[in-house]
Amino acid sequence: ARVVDEQLFEDDEAVVVRFNGGANAGHTLVVGNKKIVLHQVPSGIFYPEMLLYIGSGCVITPKKLNDEIADIRSAEISLDGRLFISSHAPLIQPHHLLYDEWFGGGIGTTKNGIGPCYADQALRAQGDAIRNIKFGEYLVDPGKGFSAVKRNLEEFLDLWPLAKADVIGKMEHFDAEVMKLQEYRSEDPLFLERLIQSGKNVFFEGAQSVLLDAVTGMTPYVTSSRTLAGAAYTGGDLSLKYHHKTIGIAKAIMSRVGRGPFISEFGGKQSDEYCAEGEGKAHAKEMEQKEWNLEELKHSDDAFLQGVYLRMKGNEYGATTGRPRRIGTLDLVQLKQSCALNGVNELYLNKFDALTEFGEMNLPGIPVVVAYRLDGRVIDYVPTTLAEMERVQPITECLPNIPDVSNVRAEKELPPAAKEMVEFIEEFVGVKVCGIGVGPERDAFVDTSMKERLK
């Protein structure tokens, strides 16, 4: 859904900056008859004059980035003179991919080498072996970069001999893919600073949910980078003195891929284990849709099956992996805390149209989490430890069911129940809800910022 005001993002006045993560992200864009899933390229591709910048907080998978660029071009979208990559962005090396393939299954990673790459960034070097290979460093001296990456791969294979690999073949392939990206290198550390001085606006785009932050999330079931809004300036290569506002986006029905505590999850532990089976591949999208009958699921009283129904109806599968996303009801405690910690000025609710499904199910209304019960006491914050997160129980309140809103485009056309829910969320969270997404198309959006609702 469109979540930004038109004035801020005129085509020739904006830069979209990715500040964290890598190919583990999956951002699905639907514009007209074109559907593109982005993983590393910032999501402003459909605006022809908009510049795109991959910041130093990101990690680069050369082959996957080149494939993504090729997919974008095949959709007749030009990136010439538009895409730039920070010289400081670390490269995901072949041994990172092997390490993640071998050891990432327990926490449900995407096997894209993200965590091992960030780990080597912090490690920096081991003896005289450079572990963190930056994009710019490799391009400036490809021979030295090739040798360093090759040494890291060989040392990994010496340590884990069962992870067999064709070293020369992998290295030649890796080197070729890195060199293909050299036209996108940004050499200037003040690249964004100069663009702002020339009158352009910058929109920072994160990769994963703020609840998956590497520090404040529930370790180890988190991503490997900082996802809080403040990380936009350290990973996006710009001074925070230019900060204008923080835009928060939340799904009206929550979802997540991977293991870890999920307080409002339909089916709880059963759903967690089901979605993790076969490292998430046992019930991937096509297989799950063959397993279940939607009509039977719709009328079930079983919370696990209700979650399966909502996932299938909402097409909630990993854009990168196809893994089934775990489904939960909207948790307003988490949303309120996330808005506070990130200084959110405007809130947008995506997939609001999916709430219609609750009216078809055996539920008294649309459940939302309004508090938690932990060890016999009621709390209004997300626990900070994994043990407490696993013990906490949600306290829910049901709101009236909402009829189909997928064709609504104006606030005055929203049914009373939809307006009531928007107002309830806004009052609970303490942040104005400025818009709701009612479908995947760009125009499937209702502006609620005026707050002149018809009662």
Side-chain angles (χ1 to χ4, degrees), residues 63-344:
K63 173 64 166 67
K64 291 200 170 185
L65 181 52
N66 280 315
D67 288 347
E68 189 173 333
I69 291 170
D71 288 342
I72 294 170
R73 285 178 169 159
S74 68
E76 299 181 344
I77 297 171
S78 174
L79 294 177
D80 294 344
R82 298 178 60 201
L83 178 62
F84 301 87
I85 305 172
S86 169
S87 284
H88 292 305
L91 291 171
I92 292 180
Q93 302 166 55
H95 77 281
H96 294 145
L97 296 170
L98 290 173
Y99 188 97
D100 210 7
E101 181 180 344
W102 273 64
F103 301 108
I107 56 175
T109 76
T110 60
K111 306 297 181 65
N112 278 292
I114 308 295
C117 184
Y118 278 117
D120 272 351
Q121 183 183 48
L123 185 61
R124 296 157 291 169
Q126 196 165 7
D128 62 347
I130 303 299
R131 293 299 189 198
N132 179 33
I133 311 296
K134 296 182 179 182
F135 178 56
E137 294 282 0
Y138 194 102
L139 292 179
V140 168
D141 192 343
K144 181 179 178 181
F146 185 99
S147 297
V149 174
K150 180 172 178 285
R151 177 175 177 176
N152 290 337
L153 176 58
E154 289 172 334
E155 289 184 356
F156 174 84
L157 294 173
D158 286 342
L159 188 62
W160 305 102
L162 292 179
K164 296 180 180 179
D166 173 9
V167 172
I168 297 301
K170 279 188 175 294
M171 283 307 308
E172 290 177 347
H173 180 75
F174 176 82
D175 180 72
E177 296 294 339
V178 176
M179 300 311 294
K180 281 187 203 175
L181 294 170
Q182 59 185 325
E183 66 179 283
Y184 305 111
R185 179 193 168 202
S186 172
E187 304 175 20
D188 185 0
L190 295 178
F191 177 75
L192 294 179
E193 171 86 18
R194 300 186 204 282
L195 289 175
I196 285 184
Q197 293 301 325
S198 71
K200 291 190 181 293
N201 293 299
V202 173
F203 177 68
F204 288 111
E205 174 191 6
Q208 278 83 29
S209 159
V210 296
L211 296 174
L212 295 178
D213 186 83
V215 176
T216 60
M218 286 298 142
T219 303
Y221 305 107
V222 293
T223 194
S224 303
S225 58
R226 300 306 307 269
T227 63
L228 298 183
Y233 292 94
T234 56
D237 307 325
L238 187 66
S239 166
L240 55 78
K241 72 180 180 181
Y242 295 110
H243 182 72
H244 175 58
K245 64 181 176 183
T246 302
I247 298 169
I249 306 171
K251 284 184 177 179
I253 299 177
M254 294 180 68
S255 68
R256 72 166 293 172
V257 170
R259 306 303 300 267
F262 188 175
I263 296 172
S264 71
E265 184 172 14
F266 285 94
K269 185 177 181 180
Q270 182 182 2
S271 173
D272 182 9
E273 293 177 348
Y274 169 91
C275 291
E277 190 177 339
E279 297 186 347
K281 299 175 183 177
H283 305 285
K285 182 177 179 179
E286 292 185 4
M287 288 176 278
E288 182 170 66
Q289 291 177 345
K290 293 177 181 178
E291 288 179 62
W292 302 100
N293 180 286
L294 274 174
E295 282 301 310
E296 293 178 6
L297 292 174
K298 180 167 67 174
H299 300 296
S300 175
D301 292 321
D302 183 276
F304 165 70
L305 296 180
Q306 290 170 345
V308 175
Y309 173 76
L310 289 169
R311 173 168 52 251
M312 292 176 63
K313 289 293 289 185
N315 195 32
E316 285 287 355
Y317 301 90
T320 299
T321 61
R323 295 184 297 177
R325 291 186 179 128
R326 299 158 61 191
I327 303 298
T329 191
L330 181 60
D331 189 330
L332 295 182
V333 178
Q334 289 190 357
L335 183 57
K336 181 177 182 178
Q337 182 167 309
S338 295
C339 286
L341 291 176
N342 289 277
V344 171

Side-chain angles (χ1 to χ4, degrees), residues 417-435:
K419 296 176 183 177
E420 180 179 339
M421 182 160 194
V422 169
E423 290 175 346
F424 185 91
I425 294 170
E426 190 173 68
E427 291 172 10
F428 190 100
V429 173
V431 177
K432 63 179 180 179
V433 175
C434 290

Side-chain angles (χ1 to χ4, degrees), residues 24-50:
N24 56 336
H27 297 174
T28 303
L29 305 183
V30 178
V31 177
N33 62 352
K34 294 181 179 179
K35 177 181 177 180
I36 294 182
V37 179
L38 301 179
H39 305 282
Q40 299 176 87
V41 175
S43 61
I45 61 171
F46 285 108
Y47 293 90
E49 304 302 323
M50 188 173 283

